[in-house]
Amino acid sequence: MYSISVLIILFVCLLFLIFTWIGSVKASRLLYNQSLERMHRKANKLLFWSWFPAIPAAVIIGAIVWMQQSMDLVFWQDRVFIQAPLVVLPILTIWFVSVPKLIKLRSLTKQSLTEPGAAIEPTIYHRAASPGLIIPFQMTALGALTALYFSLVPPVPFRWLDISIPLAAFVLATVGLWSRHQIRFKQVSKMETYVVPTLWKRALTTVGVLAVVAGSAYYLFMLAINNSQLPAEIDMASGTHDYGGQAVTANMSPHNHGTEGMNGSSSSAKMVSVADLNGPLEGTPDRHFTLTAQKKTVTLSSGKTVDAWTYNGQIPGPELRMKQGELVEITLVNEDIEHGVTAHWHGLDVPNAEDGVAGATQNAVMPGESYTYRFRAEQVGTFWYHSHQDSQEAVSMGLFGALIVEPKVETLQQVKDITVMTHRWKGNNFAIGASDQLERMTIAPGTPVRMRLINTDDWVQQKYTLVGTHFEVAAIDGTELNKPDVLTNTHLVVTTGGRYDITFIMPERPVYLNVGDNRSSGILMSPDGKGELPELSQTVAFDPLHYGTPTSTPFDANSRFDRNFTLILDNKLGFYNRNLNFLYTLNGEVFPNTPMLMVKEGDLVKTTIVNRGNVEHPMHLHGHHVLVLSRNGKPSTGSPWWSDTLAVLPGETYEVAFVANNPGLWMDHCHNLVHAAAGMTMHLMYEGVTTPFSVGSGTINHPE
């Protein structure tokens, strides 16, 4: 409903502008009618246009009132205090100022029409030229234009100073028009016989006005384009610094990115480079993997071929499995990916230097080069890896794979472990792994089954439905849930980059995992590998907020937080790197002007995430898992819900928290990677940390 309201306000504002513009033109040209009959008819039409725009205005106000009654302040503050007055007040001036004058003008012209051949009296022209008749119509059109502007470029966060320039432009334009019509009114009043200006004179005046407006618009347009161009080189530690309510002292200034030590000591403490926040440099690794990035033409199970970028020539890349606590060494080799590659371990909270983000924690690995990552796999769970160099294109083309960390101690009972990695390839070829057809599996009845669902698609909330048995959601984003409840007739919606693990005991009948309601693919499990697809029943969406059993956590909603941040997600029309587009913003900005969340090691950090936009944003924080405290004001009451990729839907507000226990410079971005590439990315920065890496057109690093 929120998304619908946002779209209603946007599109109806456009209609409102069109209707009021028509009325303003008719009001301004009323004076140019040279016959009583035409003057009378045009006055009648203008009366119609004085009331007709009230319809879209009522729709806009209705949507705003609904927001005000049902949403938090952040969703409607600008709409109530700016857009609503811009819509309502000018219309009221039409009704209370222009309409009485119009009614009087219509009455005079009607009386004169009873006299055959009567000419237009000077008093009629005087009334038609009255600024009080014309200006309210034009002010309404200007108000509609300004209201539309604030729909396209919302003032987020809401600050009166930020809205002063558009409102000042509205006031100045209104005053200018009033002065222009006042001069015309005086000229008409002095004439004993009014002579309508010739068409070419009126056209010349119009062209002059349009030239001034076009010139001003062109100047502002080019200024905005030039200001949007990204520098050739950007320090990833630059940007606006947000200290989460903490007072900024000299040794926390933006110029030194917080020279305060990692333990909160004085500015004399040494700075730490991201490059030094690495995993163990010594010791024989328990596991060693080699990932070779290369272009390949890969064949899907149906025989269709896909031109892909691959790790080790396969899609997805090889599944990396390891045990908790093992020292892992992974060598990345770039064979022929021209723009470079990295390997980012999505959801695995590795040391900062091992995070694999080009320009933030390393330089991109170019063709012919290699890079080695070393870390201990401390977390048990389902993760995945992908390139974080030109990640939008790299992930789309296939540079990803699954990463599974198993418990140190194996269970006594053998578990059937199935990784379900879904992706849509170019040409609309949907596949689970490399299979774009129905997969059949033979699983003996009584076998415990664990299915690891990983959604790699950009801008797709993938739907998974298990049919034929009850099941439990065992883990979200690599973290086990506490005493999960048994579910039936329930589907799971997994956001981009998210992971759900589901478990069940294989029954004696077929069990079918359907993906996206497409019955031509999926996984059919049965005791003999055969059987018919079960029918899909009506299901409800799984909601983690109240699922499972509560248990103790290191902190909760009642804890005292050291830092409190607010992150507002929204859309606005604007330029990014010289391209005009609808931008996806963080606190009203796009990279590199997005906020840098500044913390110290050991801080307990709370972030309120608000989605004011009209699309979903799966927000992914590197290096940390956040505990979901509440959604839309309702507390999380089930199993502790830890997430690294949290889908925030339009109109939703989440409160999340985490302990700042992994020092470094960490990306925090929308994992709809097309949004991240358009600037919807920011960073979590520990005070006392620096980075030697940079991004920009003058560098090889392009993380998004």
Side-chain angles (χ1 to χ4, degrees):
M1 184 62 185
Y2 172 77
S3 294
I4 294 173
S5 297
V6 170
L7 292 174
I8 285 174
I9 292 173
L10 176 60
F11 288 110
V12 178
C13 272
L14 179 59
L15 287 177
F16 184 59
L17 173 61
I18 293 171
F19 293 160
T20 55
W21 185 264
I22 292 172
S24 71
V25 171
K26 289 182 178 296
S28 181
R29 293 180 178 176
L30 189 61
L31 177 65
Y32 300 143
N33 295 291
Q34 300 182 31
S35 70
L36 279 169
E37 182 182 1
R38 186 174 177 82
M39 181 76 78
H40 182 74
R41 187 170 68 252
K42 292 295 184 180
N44 269 327
K45 286 187 176 180
L46 191 54
L47 275 171
F48 167 78
W49 284 103
S50 68
W51 296 101
F52 186 65
I55 298 173
V59 174
I60 294 169
I61 298 304
I64 291 175
V65 169
W66 178 85
M67 285 188 183
Q68 194 275 330
Q69 293 293 318
S70 56
M71 310 290 292
D72 289 334
L73 178 70
V74 67
F75 292 99
W76 52 260
Q77 187 175 19
D78 57 317
R79 296 177 170 107
V80 168
F81 295 126
I82 304 173
Q83 286 183 293
L86 286 168
V87 169
V88 172
L89 296 181
I91 280 189
L92 292 178
T93 64
I94 290 179
W95 293 348
F96 290 100
V97 179
S98 295
V99 167
K101 294 181 181 296
L102 265 177
I103 292 173
K104 184 63 175 178
L105 178 63
R106 185 181 63 171
S107 176
L108 289 174
T109 54
K110 185 176 182 180
Q111 291 174 11
S112 299
L113 281 174
T114 60
E115 304 174 14
I120 300 179
E121 294 289 335
T123 54
I124 293 178
Y125 278 122
H126 296 169
R127 289 185 177 276
S130 170
L133 187 152
I134 301 167
I135 289 300
F137 283 95
Q138 296 186 332
M139 185 171 65
T140 304
L142 288 172
L145 179 62
T146 310
L148 178 62
Y149 170 82
F150 282 119
S151 286
L152 296 172
V153 188
V156 175
F158 187 88
R159 292 185 289 258
W160 286 106
L161 185 62
D162 293 341
I163 65 177
S164 59
I165 293 178
L167 291 181
F170 164 72
V171 172
L172 288 174
T174 302
V175 171
L177 287 170
W178 179 275
S179 300
R180 168 72 184 90
H181 287 292
Q182 188 67 27
I183 292 171
R184 188 175 73 164
F185 176 69
K186 289 180 179 179
Q187 290 172 342
V188 173
S189 299
K190 292 177 182 178
M191 296 179 182
E192 294 184 4
T193 303
Y194 176 69
V195 178
V196 176
T198 58
L199 182 60
W200 72 266
K201 286 184 178 180
R202 285 150 45 195
L204 188 62
T205 301
T206 302
V207 169
V209 172
L210 290 177
V212 172
V213 172
S216 302
Y218 178 77
Y219 171 78
L220 294 174
F221 190 81
M222 294 307 299
L223 182 66
I225 288 179
N226 294 331
N227 288 341
S228 75
Q229 184 167 353
L230 297 178
E233 186 172 356
I234 308 171
D235 181 353
M236 291 291 266
S238 64
T240 303
H241 292 64
D242 184 347
Y243 290 89
Q246 290 285 323
V248 181
T249 60
N251 59 354
M252 293 166 58
S253 71
H255 301 289
N256 56 23
H257 311 303
T259 55
E260 191 172 26
M262 301 301 292
N263 59 359
S265 61
S266 70
S267 59
S268 62
K270 289 184 178 180
M271 302 293 288
V272 178
S273 171
V274 162
D276 295 328
L277 296 171
N278 47 280
L281 298 177
E282 299 179 351
T284 303
D286 300 294
R287 307 266 178 170
H288 179 82
F289 304 96
T290 298
L291 297 175
T292 301
Q294 55 192 181
K295 295 180 180 179
K296 289 287 185 181
T297 298
V298 182
T299 303
L300 300 176
S301 63
S302 66
K304 295 179 181 178
T305 58
V306 173
D307 291 329
W309 298 356
T310 71
Y311 288 119
N312 294 8
Q314 65 185 71
I315 55 170
E319 182 172 287
L320 308 182
R321 280 190 177 256
M322 57 203 70
K323 297 289 186 181
Q324 183 184 19
E326 289 184 335
L327 177 59
V328 180
E329 183 177 273
I330 303 171
T331 301
L332 172 64
V333 179
N334 184 358
E335 184 175 290
D336 59 3
I337 307 299
E338 293 92 342
H339 298 299
V341 297
T342 68
H344 164 62
W345 323 105
H346 186 113
L348 193 62
D349 299 337
V350 298
N352 193 218
E354 316 298 339
D355 197 40
V357 179
T361 63
Q362 67 173 88
N363 287 320
V365 182
M366 304 308 289
E369 296 179 347
S370 64
Y371 190 91
T372 299
Y373 303 89
R374 288 172 64 93
F375 54 83
R376 288 202 179 275
E378 302 291 356
Q379 302 153 262
V380 173
T382 302
F383 311 98
W384 64 300
Y385 62 92
H386 62 81
S387 177
H388 228 302
Q389 164 77 348
D390 284 323
S391 59
Q392 179 191 358
E393 184 176 18
V395 174
S396 173
M397 291 297 294
L399 284 174
F400 62 83
L403 189 155
I404 311 300
V405 181
E406 299 173 339
K408 291 180 183 178
V409 181
E410 295 183 3
T411 58
L412 296 177
Q413 192 173 13
Q414 188 66 33
V415 177
K416 180 67 175 180
D417 198 319
I418 305 169
T419 300
V420 183
M421 203 166 203
T422 57
H423 191 73
R424 191 169 299 278
W425 301 93
K426 285 188 176 180
N428 203 32
N429 295 312
F430 175 79
I432 298 175
S435 175
D436 59 343
Q437 297 174 303
L438 178 67
E439 251 189 287
R440 293 180 179 270
M441 290 186 176
T442 301
I443 302 178
T447 302
V449 179
R450 188 180 192 101
M451 305 192 82
R452 304 176 185 267
L453 313 179
I454 307 174
N455 179 18
T456 68
D457 277 324
D458 196 17
W459 210 340
V460 172
Q461 280 194 302
Q462 194 59 266
K463 177 182 176 182
Y464 303 83
T465 306
L466 190 70
V467 183
T469 186
H470 53 266
F471 66 95
E472 298 173 354
V473 176
I476 297 176
D477 286 351
T479 303
E480 293 289 308
L481 299 184
N482 184 54
K483 298 179 181 178
D485 304 320
V486 175
L487 298 172
T488 56
N489 298 324
T490 302
H491 65 263
L492 309 175
V493 178
V494 182
T495 192
T496 296
R499 291 92 59 213
Y500 277 13
D501 289 17
I502 59 175
T503 57
F504 61 92
I505 303 299
M506 184 66 194
E508 296 184 357
R509 58 185 177 275
V511 175
Y512 173 48
L513 179 70
N514 177 262
V515 184
D517 292 328
N518 181 6
R519 289 175 65 82
S520 63
S521 63
I523 301 176
L524 180 64
M525 298 155 279
S526 63
D528 57 1
K530 301 177 182 179
E532 298 296 323
L533 289 180
E535 290 296 323
L536 296 179
S537 58
Q538 291 291 326
T539 58
V540 297
F542 170 71
D543 185 358
L545 195 67
H546 309 298
Y547 179 77
T549 304
T551 188
S552 61
T553 54
F555 53 87
D556 58 27
N558 298 316
S559 299
R560 187 188 68 80
F561 297 96
D562 301 296
R563 312 269 173 150
N564 282 271
F565 299 104
T566 298
L567 194 57
I568 303 175
L569 321 178
D570 208 344
N571 316 94
K572 74 175 180 181
L573 184 66
F575 292 95
Y576 186 68
N577 204 19
R578 303 186 70 84
N579 293 317
L580 179 65
N581 209 334
F582 273 101
L583 307 178
Y584 300 96
T585 60
L586 298 164
N587 286 2
E589 301 289 352
V590 290
F591 180 81
N593 299 319
T594 47
M596 177 83 70
L597 305 186
M598 302 296 295
V599 299
K600 294 199 303 271
E601 186 175 10
D603 278 347
L604 183 55
V605 182
K606 178 181 177 182
T607 304
T608 301
I609 308 174
V610 181
N611 188 353
R612 269 185 45 118
N614 54 11
V615 295
E616 170 217 359
H617 295 295
M619 297 305 298
H620 174 49
L621 173 61
H622 290 210
H624 306 75
H625 277 65
V626 300
L627 177 65
V628 176
L629 304 178
S630 71
R631 183 184 64 209
N632 301 332
K634 297 180 180 178
S636 177
T637 59
S639 167
W641 174 12
W642 297 89
S643 176
D644 58 67
T645 312
L646 184 65
V648 188
L649 302 182
E652 286 189 336
T653 299
Y654 275 91
E655 290 180 316
V656 301
F658 65 94
V659 176
N661 56 5
N662 197 358
L665 170 64
W666 299 100
M667 291 194 73
D668 188 359
H669 63 104
C670 178
H671 219 276
N672 283 336
L673 296 175
V674 66
H675 297 177
M680 198 174 198
T681 182
M682 55 184 287
H683 298 86
L684 173 73
M685 181 75 172
Y686 282 68
E687 295 168 14
V689 173
T690 64
T691 177
F693 307 108
S694 57
V695 299
S697 59
T699 74
I700 62 173
N701 298 318
H702 309 282
E704 303 297 359

